[in-house]
């Protein structure tokens, strides 16, 4: 009865056209989420509008996975004639907000309970080689340059990544840490700390005895 009243109230306030759009969107969401749940072998998967998800055979997705609109998740098997062996692992109860981009030529792992804000980039590779041997020619198109591989990204359990964060190849974030909005993670972030900036650096850590987040004091 409450559902009927809510529906009638929605119709009264918004009209038939908006109600039809809303019901159509909900039906499409159920169908889309069900299809991805089956492909991921995951329970209670919920995927927002217009996802771009490729390389599903190279992904392992846990239960209760939620992703917002325009999510882009790609395990890159082949690019510019080069074959890769990618792996993307997403644990249970992971939530991605709108426009999150996760891509791997090697390995990207998100632990259980990770929460990711909007417009976040998590990648284990670059377009082109800029150190060592066989470096990329600046006269070549960036899109034609080879993708790097061999560096992994590891994000631990219960990590919170704020809006606009970039996590670069070879980086790791320890369990329970928080990455402030618009930060760039390029290296290793310890567990149970708050890190901000470009590159991200710890500014707070959690004191388990006091049960408080306290000013970061690096170990000597």
């Amino acid at each position: 009865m409450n559902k009927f009243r809510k529906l009638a109230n929605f119709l009264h306030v918004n009209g038939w056209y908006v109600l039809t759009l809303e019901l159509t969107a909900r039906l499409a969401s159920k169908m889309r989420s069900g299809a991805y749940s089956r492909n991921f072998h995951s329970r209670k998967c919920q995927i927002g509008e217009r996802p771009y998800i490729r390389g599903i055979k190279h992904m392992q997705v846990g239960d209760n996975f939620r992703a917002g609109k325009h999510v882009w998740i790609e395990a890159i098997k082949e690019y510019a004639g080069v074959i890769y062996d990618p792996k993307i692992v997403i644990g249970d109860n992971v939530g991605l907000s709108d426009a999150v981009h996760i891509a791997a030529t090697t390995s990207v792992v998100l632990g259980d309970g990770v929460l990711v804000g909007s417009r976040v980039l998590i990648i284990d590779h670059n377009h082109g080689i800029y150190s060592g041997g066989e470096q990329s020619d600046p006269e070549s198109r960036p899109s034609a340059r080879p993708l790097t591989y061999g560096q992994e990204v590891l994000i631990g359990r219960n990590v919170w990544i704020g809006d606009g964060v970039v996590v670069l190849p070879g980086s790791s974030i320890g369990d329970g840490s928080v990455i402030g909005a618009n930060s760039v993670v390029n290296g290793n972030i310890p567990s149970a700390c708050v890190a901000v900036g470009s590159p991200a650096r710890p500014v707070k850590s959690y004191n388990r005895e006091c049960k408080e987040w306290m000013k970061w004091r690096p170990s000597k």
Side-chain angles (χ1 to χ4, degrees):
M1 193 67 178
N2 287 335
K3 289 184 178 181
F4 178 78
R5 287 177 180 173
K6 287 182 180 179
L7 188 65
N9 184 60
F10 188 94
L11 175 61
H12 176 72
V13 173
N14 298 286
W16 280 105
Y17 178 71
V18 176
L19 176 62
T20 302
L21 290 179
E22 180 70 16
L23 293 176
T24 302
R26 291 188 182 188
L27 177 60
S29 176
K30 273 196 168 185
M31 294 175 64
R32 177 173 57 250
S33 297
Y36 278 111
S37 291
R38 288 188 292 273
N39 282 330
F40 289 147
H41 305 289
S42 169
R43 291 182 297 174
K44 296 183 179 179
C45 177
Q46 185 176 339
I47 307 292
E49 297 175 14
R50 298 185 180 180
Y52 183 90
I53 301 175
R54 297 293 185 272
I56 291 176
K57 288 185 177 180
H58 301 275
M59 297 180 191
Q60 178 182 327
V61 179
D63 295 336
N64 198 29
F65 173 60
R66 305 176 312 282
K69 300 176 183 177
H70 306 289
V71 67
W72 177 358
I73 306 174
E74 185 171 10
I76 302 169
K77 182 65 178 176
E78 186 273 336
Y79 187 88
V82 179
I83 303 299
Y84 302 97
D85 185 22
K87 176 180 70 175
I88 295 177
V89 178
I90 298 174
D92 295 336
N93 302 307
V94 171
L96 311 180
S97 299
D98 295 343
V100 171
H101 180 187
I102 299 172
T105 58
T106 303
S107 176
V108 172
V109 177
L110 279 68
D112 295 344
V114 169
L115 177 64
V116 180
S118 301
R119 307 178 310 282
V120 170
L121 174 65
I122 303 171
I123 53 172
D124 69 353
H125 60 278
N126 288 306
H127 275 274
I129 301 168
Y130 306 100
S131 63
E134 300 184 7
Q135 296 185 24
S136 298
D137 187 338
E139 295 299 318
S140 65
R141 290 180 291 108
S143 61
R145 298 171 193 173
L147 299 181
T148 59
Y149 61 93
Q151 291 184 288
E152 300 181 350
V153 171
L154 176 59
I155 298 173
R157 297 172 57 253
N158 299 325
V159 168
W160 175 23
I161 299 177
D163 289 358
V165 168
V166 176
V167 181
L168 293 174
S171 296
S172 66
I173 303 172
D175 293 350
S177 286
V178 178
I179 309 299
N182 300 314
S183 296
V184 177
V185 179
N186 186 16
N188 300 321
I189 302 297
S191 299
C193 75
V194 177
V196 300
S198 178
R201 293 289 183 264
V203 293
K204 286 187 175 184
S205 61
Y206 187 68
N207 186 311
R208 299 189 184 280
E209 292 181 2
C210 301
K211 297 184 178 180
E212 292 181 356
W213 294 90
M214 306 180 73
K215 185 177 180 180
W216 172 260
R217 296 185 184 277
S219 57
K220 295 182 180 180

